[in-house]
Amino acid sequence: MTTRTQAFTPAEVLALPAMLTAKQAFAAMNVSQELGYALIRGGEFPLDVIRLGHAIRVRRSDLLAFLGIREDEPDAA
């Protein structure tokens, strides 16, 4: 397994599914899993999280807004 050392590019973020796993959101934001889960537990994660049983999901649209990426930008994809 390779460890990613850079945040996702805008094109990579746009290619993500509509509902991201918490780990995908952390990777796109260049945040460690430890920090991401700690922020969620503390109610301080900057995006709304959706809990589905034990699974945590984040809306791609929320992530795009947080990162300042617009889907209609020609250079984004």
Side-chain angles (χ1 to χ4, degrees):
M1 179 177 187
T2 59
T3 303
R4 190 175 180 105
T5 58
Q6 296 178 344
F8 285 20
T9 65
E12 290 172 321
V13 174
L14 288 169
L16 292 170
M19 294 296 288
L20 311 171
T21 65
K23 291 179 183 180
Q24 288 172 316
F26 302 155
M29 297 168 71
N30 203 25
V31 171
S32 72
Q33 289 182 29
E34 293 81 12
L35 176 60
Y37 284 120
L39 291 171
I40 289 173
R41 279 192 304 274
E44 297 180 19
F45 194 68
L47 307 174
D48 288 339
V49 295
I50 300 162
R51 295 181 184 272
L52 303 168
H54 292 287
I56 297 173
R57 298 288 186 262
V58 175
R59 289 179 199 88
R60 184 184 65 183
S61 59
D62 292 345
L63 178 64
L64 291 174
F66 177 78
L67 296 175
I69 299 172
R70 292 180 33 199
E71 289 191 68
D72 59 351
E73 289 180 8
D75 293 337

